[in-house]
Amino acid sequence: MDNASVLAGFRQFTPESIRAAMTHCRANVAEADLCCREVLRTCADNPGLLAEEAARHELSCALLYLSYRRDQQAGPDLLRLVSQPEFSQPLTETDWLVRSLHRFFAALLNPNEVTVISDLILNRGLATEVREQALLTYPFLLQENAIEEKLVVEEYRRLLTTAIEGKHQDAPRLWMATAINAAVIGGNQLRLLINKMLDSGLLQDQTTFARRIITSLFQAGSQRFRDIFRKEHRGHLTDVDAETDGLFAPPEEFDAELPERGQPKTRTEPKIGRNDPCPCGSGKKHKKCCGA
């Protein structure tokens, strides 16, 4: 199998064709690295190519391989690609390419340069789903012990300050997740800025819900939401076969809540409705995420 056959396997996009191509890639890493970087570079040069389904398939597989390799040489082209609005135009928030963006960022960006993620979050020209995935990169890297918590706190400070001063009237769900994440990770260091965010009107119809959550965090502590981050954390893309299965698996849907059992419990945090956005910042409804 040569590189042309690898790309053909990616474009054919069946579990069998992808596994065969990935097996070849792992046995010929020098050639495969160059081949998959070129796929990413080509899309970054011309994101309009992604209007073609086969090109999206090829890119998905290339990013899976590059992330498995944690190839930081691919990081600049990944940033260049997702920084263009054309990248997300043919995609939806349920597409694997979108759902996995924060794991691509974590694998391919140099941790010393990860603050460029904040530029993506602040870019109102990008799809909300892309910006939300960028936001998830910070807690992901914290879980991996790849960056220091004080760096993340300062980036949340930057995000909150810029949003408040610029009065960005956009993406209230994104800013709600930012405020909650900042409360969980930054705590009292960011409390004043978080309260300014809540009072700014930026969260629009999410304000009341976010205020309940954040008030609870400061009253009872952030451990519950740190546990949510750990629960949602899937780690780096290290198992290519398992991740190949994920390419074909639809996002999980949960339509029912499990009944509580045992003795009545005193609620220590505000009730989160099944259709409320999940406070972990995933962008999903609570019933389809941590409330499942």
Side-chain angles (χ1 to χ4, degrees):
M1 180 178 279
D2 56 14
N3 285 345
S5 299
V6 166
L7 297 181
F10 287 172
R11 284 178 168 258
Q12 186 179 349
F13 207 67
T14 65
E16 295 76 19
S17 70
I18 293 171
R19 286 195 175 94
M22 290 294 183
T23 298
H24 175 82
C25 288
R26 283 177 287 179
N28 300 273
V29 293
E31 293 180 5
D33 288 355
L34 292 173
C35 176
C36 290
R37 285 179 203 149
E38 183 58 30
V39 170
L40 175 58
R41 185 176 300 114
T42 299
C43 289
D45 289 340
N46 186 6
L49 293 172
L50 297 177
E52 180 190 353
E53 185 178 52
R56 297 196 297 273
H57 291 165
E58 189 176 81
L59 177 64
S60 295
C61 295
L63 283 171
L64 171 55
Y65 172 78
L66 292 169
S67 297
Y68 160 75
R69 291 277 293 151
R70 300 203 201 171
D71 184 1
Q72 292 181 3
Q73 291 189 50
D77 282 327
L78 175 63
L79 277 176
R80 194 159 56 89
L81 173 61
V82 301
S83 296
Q84 301 176 72
E86 294 86 352
F87 164 71
S88 58
Q89 286 176 356
L91 303 171
T92 70
E93 65 180 332
T94 61
D95 288 338
W96 186 86
L97 262 175
V98 175
R99 289 184 285 126
S100 302
L101 270 178
H102 66 287
R103 301 172 81 193
F104 300 154
F105 292 140
L108 303 183
L109 296 181
N110 186 325
N112 295 326
E113 300 173 355
V114 74
T115 55
V116 297
I117 288 295
S118 295
D119 297 328
L120 295 176
I121 298 168
L122 291 168
N123 188 341
R124 288 189 290 171
L126 302 182
T128 300
E129 293 79 14
V130 171
R131 298 165 72 193
E132 288 174 339
Q133 284 291 314
L135 180 65
L136 289 173
T137 307
Y138 287 130
F140 183 101
L141 288 170
L142 277 179
Q143 291 292 330
E144 292 292 320
N145 296 313
I147 55 177
E148 294 184 1
E149 189 168 298
K150 64 181 181 180
L151 180 149
V152 179
V153 171
E154 288 310 305
E155 285 307 298
Y156 286 152
R157 188 188 307 278
R158 172 188 168 194
L159 291 169
L160 293 168
T161 300
T162 304
I164 293 168
E165 291 178 350
K167 298 188 182 300
H168 286 181
Q169 294 293 334
D170 76 314
R173 188 177 70 181
L174 168 71
W175 294 116
M176 181 192 73
T178 304
I180 292 174
N181 285 5
V184 172
I185 295 171
N188 285 324
Q189 298 177 73
L190 299 175
R191 189 167 188 167
L192 180 60
L193 273 175
I194 293 167
N195 286 333
K196 285 184 178 180
M197 169 72 81
L198 291 171
D199 294 335
S200 68
L202 290 173
L203 274 57
Q204 299 177 27
D205 59 353
Q206 306 292 340
T207 301
T208 300
F209 174 71
R211 196 183 297 276
R212 292 203 320 264
I213 296 293
I214 289 170
T215 298
S216 171
L217 283 169
F218 285 123
Q219 289 176 344
S222 64
Q223 188 58 47
R224 176 173 177 271
F225 287 93
R226 286 181 179 258
D227 290 342
I228 288 174
F229 287 156
R230 280 191 289 273
K231 174 184 174 182
E232 288 296 296
H233 184 71
R234 291 185 293 157
H236 282 289
L237 295 93
T238 56
D239 187 335
V240 173
D241 289 335
E243 296 296 340
T244 297
D245 292 335
L247 286 168
F248 300 92
E252 292 183 348
E253 297 282 343
F254 299 101
D255 295 321
E257 290 180 301
L258 294 176
E260 291 187 358
R261 297 182 180 181
Q263 296 300 317
K265 298 179 182 179
T266 301
R267 186 177 294 280
T268 59
E269 66 279 328
K271 179 177 175 59
I272 305 173
R274 294 177 68 241
N275 290 313
D276 285 330
C278 192
C280 76
S282 67
K284 305 175 186 175
K285 290 183 179 180
H286 183 59
K287 68 181 179 182
K288 298 179 181 178
C289 189
C290 300

